[in-house]
Amino acid sequence: MRVLYFGVLKELFACPSEDIEVENGCSVGELRKVFHGRMPERAWKSMAIAVNQEYAGDEVLLHDGDEIALLPPVSGGAPSHARRGRR
């Protein structure tokens, strides 16, 4: 399966994606356990996971050839001083 990393995860893993081996039929929740030791616990509390470009809960089963995206929370937008004068 191909795992895609977005946001700060690209920097954390020093690559935009990687192929991983997991047992066919494992769940997204079990996949979280595979990655659990590779990133801080607090990162998982707000991490979204998509399977084949659709958000997936922990109960979703994975299959050979699936594309999994790990999506950390993002913050952003222009700082408040940059928005002044816009209406």
Side-chain angles (χ1 to χ4, degrees):
M1 293 176 203
R2 163 104 25 217
V3 178
L4 307 174
Y5 303 119
F6 290 89
V8 298
L9 296 180
K10 283 184 188 180
E11 295 172 21
L12 180 67
F13 293 117
C15 64
S17 65
E18 71 177 301
D19 291 322
I20 64 164
E21 297 273 334
V22 293
E23 194 171 312
N24 199 33
C26 88
S27 68
V28 167
E30 291 167 327
L31 179 72
R32 285 182 188 271
K33 293 176 187 175
V34 170
F35 282 93
H36 187 77
R38 297 179 66 186
M39 65 181 80
E41 174 68 30
R42 69 184 188 285
W44 286 110
K45 292 182 181 185
S46 54
M47 180 83 59
I49 297 179
V51 177
N52 299 323
Q53 300 181 2
E54 291 189 26
Y55 287 106
D58 285 346
E59 71 285 351
V60 171
L61 299 180
L62 301 172
H63 302 92
D64 191 36
D66 282 347
E67 180 182 79
I68 298 124
L70 299 184
L71 306 157
V74 294
S75 62
S80 61
H81 69 280
R83 291 190 297 255
R84 284 188 205 141
R86 291 187 171 189
R87 294 188 191 244

